[in-house]
Amino acid sequence: MTFEEASKRVKELTELLERYNYEYYVLNQSSIDDAEFDRLMGELKMLELEYPALQSKNSPTQRVGGEVQSEFKKIPHKRLMLSLGNVFNDDEMRDFDRRLRDILHVDQIRYVGEMKIDGLGMSLIYENGELQYAVTRGDGNMGEDVTSNVITIRSIPAHVKEMRPFEVRGEVYMPKASLESVNIQRSLNGEPEFANCRNAAAGSIRTLDPKVAASRKLEAYWYYLVNSRELGEHIHSNSLDYLDELGFRTNHERRVLNGVEEVIAYMHEYAEKRDSLDYDIDGLVFKVDNLDLYDSLGYTAKEPRWAIAYKFPPKEVSTKLLDIVLTIGRTGRVTPNAILEPVRVAGSTVQRATLNNEDFIKEKGLMIGDIIGLHKAADVIPEVTEPIVSRRDGTQTPWIMPETCPVCGHALTRVKNIHYCLNEDCDSRKIEGMIHFASRNAMDIDGMGESVVEEFFAEGFLHKIPDIFRISDHAEEIKALDGWSDKSMNSLIDAIEVSKTRSLERLLFGLGIKEVGEKLAKTLAKRFKNLDVFKDLKEEDITVIKDVGPVAAKSVVDYFHDEKNLQAIEELREYHVNFDYLGTDTLDVNSYFYGKTIVLTGTLSRYSRDEMTDILEGIGAKVSGSVSKNTDIVIAGPGAGSKLEKAQKLGVEVMDEEEAINHLARTGK
Ligand code: IVH
């Protein structure tokens, strides 16, 4: 083969391989199989070996990663690579649009909405139909020649049909799926994982070994033809279509938007769709579509006026961990909390976050003074994600779990992974106990929240739960406190009065008996009806109840055998706090079932047996387990047996579930 023949064949092979790359990596479809592709690639490799002069840096053979570089050459940008101004919400977007309309003296502007890809800004320079350089943004003025790495991204055309010089800008990024597989590989190799797609893309482009870059499965989208008008294209959206035509990969989520309201609808649409994209976006970019307006709009110090970025609210932010402090709950449970430099995340300012327990802190390796990641779990509860180890500067100090309660000095006890302060007289436990008593799901004392209880405790007006009911003894002193008035004092006294009439289950829950949550409190109240009954209960009286275990039963019995608790109950009695279960306040004398004795049998489908029992008892019926001559009604579902037979024998009224529900519906229950 002569050199000329070889040169011709190299050109043919290059064109073929480029076309197949384009089909596969840009269009996601391919017209040949892998083996044929490999064969052509093999042939090209052989020719390049034989005739090194025929090998160009843009050869398809270089896509797997060429030679290791010693450094990246600095290249000045012909036109500055600017950043974008930001807006964070609808109103700021409307303001941006108004400013532009004022400058242009028009009523409406046509924009192009685009994804703001979270990757690495990149510029490609083409001359004579061939890629010359790929340059990073750098400081906007000067970038680095990373062509050898960028060329490993197969979707980037090495040759194009446009022969005039042009520059195209876009974003190199790592798809979410690639990040996952790269991180799995890195953790297998004992290397630190990449925190996000952007860091991974930046790290991969800045590696000096193109083979490493090639292995990272990077992608790119191209969003701006810099010298569009020189090429005769005056509309941005058309220039993107032209980039498509030249074989560039552009993002097809883009949309031409007429006026700012369409822009805002697009913002809302993509705030929703964001997570379903297979690449990370940190916002959207809106550009004026008519390139001829760009000159009159011009630039601010560092940003073009003809484009704007809408930034999504960050899901994760970083801030400084100033300290870790312990709080002690009413049960004595100790919780470490992060004290943070205040930071806004998902719509509110956060300066505290729970750290759960000692092991949580150890597993994350948190140090005081660390910059940490923070996000909101389920969009509400602030959660520390991890320390950003790369931002440590030597001033960080380790945190050690204290051995004693910071409030009362009592030694802490660790049970499984939780620490407790077992001192029942710990001020913190007492305060938390009263806060719980007054809380919404317990005695619901309006105006007696956390800070009020804390303040009253500090002033010495409150020591224990019954003190709440004699708070009026301190009315004058309280009114003298900052932020208190006759009015607020009176409403607090009223709220305390009202709370005295609450039903037993709220009192039981409010007392803070270990193991007694809202649900068990209700079950117990319903069953035993009055607080005094509890003093004589034995564990077996309680464990007979379905779903109540021995631990809870023992805890209840212990509580009512503790002298201090009995004393508190006596004090509550003196203040006429209601001890009765008032569940019957839903009594409905008009109900068909009111005052009747009812037996449930067979399978109920709409309600469970327990639920139906609750409903019937609530409206004043008695639910019994066996059929006798005292039974008024049997509600029988499928599978009913002997009880139904007996009822029929005794001539007791029988109905099915549907009929029962119809009766209930009539009473509004
Ligand atoms: S246009 C002068 N369009 O965001 C206008 N930028 O904060 C040049 N980016 O440096 C930028 N997606 O790296 C534009 N569709 C998009 C973009 C985008 C991501 C990046 C780009 C730029 C940064 C600005």
Side-chain angles (χ1 to χ4, degrees):
M1 196 185 272
T2 65
F3 185 80
E4 279 65 38
E5 283 166 343
S7 170
K8 193 166 154 251
R9 184 62 183 152
V10 164
K11 202 160 170 266
E12 271 168 24
L13 287 168
T14 301
E15 272 170 22
L16 273 173
L17 288 164
E18 283 183 352
R19 198 176 89 221
Y20 297 138
N21 263 338
Y22 170 72
E23 287 174 356
Y24 189 82
Y25 290 101
V26 181
L27 304 179
N28 287 323
Q29 62 192 39
S30 107
S31 56
I32 56 159
D33 59 24
D34 291 358
E36 175 65 0
F37 185 89
D38 291 345
R39 196 191 63 72
L40 297 172
M41 186 68 96
E43 191 186 341
L44 180 59
K45 262 188 209 154
M46 290 304 293
L47 285 170
E48 287 179 347
L49 263 177
E50 214 170 315
Y51 304 95
L54 293 177
Q55 184 184 342
S56 85
K57 65 174 184 170
N58 286 334
S59 163
T61 59
Q62 299 305 295
R63 300 266 183 173
V64 291
E67 274 165 42
V68 176
Q69 310 282 298
S70 55
E71 60 172 356
F72 296 122
K73 202 168 61 186
K74 293 253 187 310
I75 293 192
H77 291 293
K78 277 208 204 78
R79 300 208 205 172
L80 288 182
M81 256 179 111
L82 299 165
S83 63
L84 294 173
N86 294 316
V87 294
F88 294 92
N89 54 48
D90 299 0
D91 284 341
E92 289 178 11
M93 186 67 221
R94 288 194 182 95
D95 289 344
F96 168 80
D97 173 67
R98 190 171 310 116
R99 279 199 302 277
L100 296 206
R101 284 188 288 110
D102 287 348
I103 297 173
L104 298 171
H105 304 290
V106 294
D107 290 337
Q108 199 185 64
I109 294 174
R110 195 176 65 242
Y111 296 95
V112 180
E114 298 171 17
M115 302 299 104
K116 186 171 191 303
I117 314 285
D118 205 4
L120 196 68
M122 189 70 60
S123 207
L124 303 179
I125 316 289
Y126 286 81
E127 272 165 35
N128 300 317
E130 185 169 7
L131 174 66
Q132 305 297 315
Y133 309 106
V135 191
T136 60
R137 177 165 179 272
D139 61 4
N141 190 14
M142 191 84 97
E144 285 177 321
D145 176 358
V146 288
T147 317
S148 53
N149 287 338
V150 169
I151 196 71
T152 67
I153 302 170
R154 311 283 175 98
S155 63
I156 294 177
H159 297 94
V160 291
K161 67 177 188 198
E162 176 59 75
M163 297 313 261
R164 293 170 287 182
F166 69 94
E167 177 174 355
V168 59
R169 290 183 183 170
E171 204 81 356
V172 169
Y173 69 93
M174 184 174 284
K176 289 177 190 168
S178 304
L179 178 70
E180 262 174 49
S181 63
V182 165
N183 272 344
I184 290 171
Q185 199 52 53
R186 284 175 77 84
S187 73
L188 288 177
N189 298 347
E191 295 163 321
E193 294 185 13
F194 287 118
N196 53 48
C197 291
R198 181 166 35 85
N199 292 0
S204 306
I205 281 298
R206 303 210 68 257
T207 169
L208 290 166
D209 184 353
K211 291 206 169 52
V212 171
S215 73
R216 293 289 172 72
K217 308 265 182 307
L218 296 172
E219 254 311 343
Y221 276 125
W222 304 98
Y223 47 64
Y224 184 47
L225 178 54
V226 180
N227 54 328
S228 196
R229 283 189 290 165
E230 280 171 25
L231 305 183
E233 198 54 81
H234 292 257
I235 302 294
H236 174 61
S237 52
N238 293 346
S239 75
L240 293 177
D241 293 343
Y242 183 53
L243 288 178
D244 271 343
E245 211 181 303
L246 292 179
F248 289 93
R249 194 165 172 267
T250 67
N251 189 299
H252 288 198
E253 307 290 339
R254 70 170 173 268
R255 194 179 300 160
V256 172
L257 303 161
N258 291 300
V260 72
E261 293 310 316
E262 286 190 20
V263 164
I264 285 165
Y266 185 85
M267 277 158 57
H268 294 182
E269 181 181 330
Y270 278 92
E272 292 290 319
K273 284 191 184 160
R274 169 183 192 191
D275 289 335
S276 65
L277 301 171
D278 51 21
Y279 42 86
D280 268 345
I281 58 174
D282 60 342
L284 304 169
V285 177
F286 297 97
K287 297 172 190 161
V288 172
D289 199 16
N290 185 347
L291 300 171
D292 291 332
L293 298 175
Y294 285 23
D295 295 333
S296 37
L297 288 169
Y299 297 79
T300 68
K302 53 184 191 352
E303 297 148 5
R305 276 211 190 80
W306 39 262
I308 193 83
Y310 163 63
K311 287 282 195 79
F312 292 129
K315 296 216 161 141
E316 179 156 340
V317 296
S318 59
T319 188
K320 192 169 182 175
L321 175 62
L322 300 174
D323 200 1
I324 295 177
V325 299
L326 302 184
T327 50
I328 291 79
R330 67 189 163 87
T331 62
R333 183 189 169 127
V334 177
T335 308
N337 297 278
I339 305 298
L340 305 167
E341 214 158 73
V343 64
R344 265 190 90 72
V345 50
S348 72
T349 300
V350 171
Q351 44 190 331
R352 247 182 124 95
T354 178
L355 295 172
N356 304 311
N357 56 56
E358 182 186 16
D359 291 353
F360 181 89
I361 298 168
K362 281 192 176 158
E363 277 156 24
K364 297 203 181 286
L366 297 177
M367 292 176 84
I368 307 292
D370 264 340
I371 302 298
I372 51 98
L374 183 81
H375 73 171
K376 278 196 181 168
D379 269 350
V380 270
I381 303 152
E383 208 172 72
V384 171
T385 55
E386 59 186 356
I388 303 171
V389 177
S390 61
R391 291 185 63 182
R392 284 193 179 146
D393 58 7
T395 63
Q396 286 68 23
T397 51
W399 178 79
I400 300 154
M401 181 78 192
E403 284 172 9
T404 56
C405 172
V407 178
C408 71
H410 196 276
L412 299 181
T413 309
R414 183 170 161 146
V415 183
K416 294 200 185 124
N417 61 348
I418 304 294
H419 284 80
Y420 291 91
C421 169
L422 296 178
N423 173 19
E424 286 184 14
D425 287 324
C426 176
D427 282 355
S428 183
R429 294 186 58 176
K430 289 198 275 187
I431 293 170
E432 293 299 325
M434 290 186 280
I435 292 170
H436 171 74
F437 184 83
S439 69
R440 182 129 59 89
N441 293 349
M443 295 294 269
D444 194 13
I445 306 177
D446 209 16
M448 192 95 182
E450 228 174 285
S451 57
V452 171
V453 172
E454 278 166 6
E455 185 179 24
F456 288 1
F457 186 90
E459 294 288 336
F461 307 151
L462 287 180
H463 301 282
K464 51 189 195 310
I465 287 171
D467 295 342
I468 293 172
F469 297 98
R470 42 180 168 257
I471 203 69
S472 52
D473 294 356
H474 300 281
E476 293 312 311
E477 296 154 87
I478 292 171
K479 281 189 272 183
L481 295 174
D482 254 10
W484 285 89
S485 63
D486 272 352
K487 195 163 161 248
S488 56
M489 188 64 223
N490 287 339
S491 25
L492 180 60
I493 291 174
D494 287 348
I496 292 171
E497 266 323 290
V498 170
S499 78
K500 291 181 182 175
T501 65
R502 306 255 185 257
S503 184
L504 175 61
E505 65 276 16
R506 285 174 171 271
L507 180 59
L508 273 178
F509 176 56
L511 288 174
I513 305 166
K514 241 197 254 158
E515 309 290 333
V516 180
E518 251 183 294
K519 183 152 178 260
L520 180 55
K522 190 152 190 196
T523 307
L524 294 171
K526 221 181 240 176
R527 178 125 184 155
F528 300 112
K529 305 281 195 268
N530 181 285
L531 193 67
D532 288 319
V533 175
F534 286 82
K535 293 183 205 157
D536 302 321
L537 290 183
K538 295 190 206 48
E539 286 173 38
E540 53 273 27
D541 298 326
I542 301 171
T543 48
V544 295
I545 307 171
K546 196 170 143 250
D547 294 336
V548 184
V551 179
K554 180 170 185 319
S555 168
V556 172
V557 171
D558 286 352
Y559 183 92
F560 287 95
H561 280 91
D562 182 317
E563 231 5 87
K564 251 197 329 237
N565 296 333
L566 295 175
Q567 172 61 33
I569 289 171
E570 285 320 303
E571 289 181 48
L572 294 178
R573 190 194 313 278
E574 280 168 39
Y575 290 106
H576 307 289
V577 173
N578 169 58
F579 285 3
D580 289 324
Y581 173 57
L582 304 177
T584 47
D585 63 2
T586 55
L587 267 192
D588 182 351
V589 292
N590 295 319
S591 164
Y592 186 74
F593 299 116
Y594 175 78
K596 303 249 171 93
T597 300
I598 300 169
V599 173
L600 304 175
T601 183
T603 316
L604 303 184
S605 47
R606 171 102 167 257
Y607 295 106
S608 71
R609 200 72 83 82
D610 283 347
E611 283 167 335
M612 188 59 112
T613 304
D614 276 0
I615 294 168
L616 292 168
E617 286 181 349
I619 56 176
K622 194 171 157 238
V623 177
S624 149
S626 58
V627 179
S628 71
K629 59 182 190 328
N630 296 326
T631 308
D632 296 305
I633 300 167
V634 169
I635 300 176
S642 60
K643 287 181 193 172
L644 177 59
E645 264 171 44
K646 194 165 176 193
Q648 282 160 342
K649 226 178 264 167
L650 291 171
V652 172
E653 178 181 358
V654 175
M655 63 176 73
D656 62 11
E657 186 181 10
E658 201 183 310
E659 199 178 334
I661 289 169
N662 285 338
H663 281 295
L664 288 170
R666 248 166 257 142
T667 65
K669 287 278 173 319

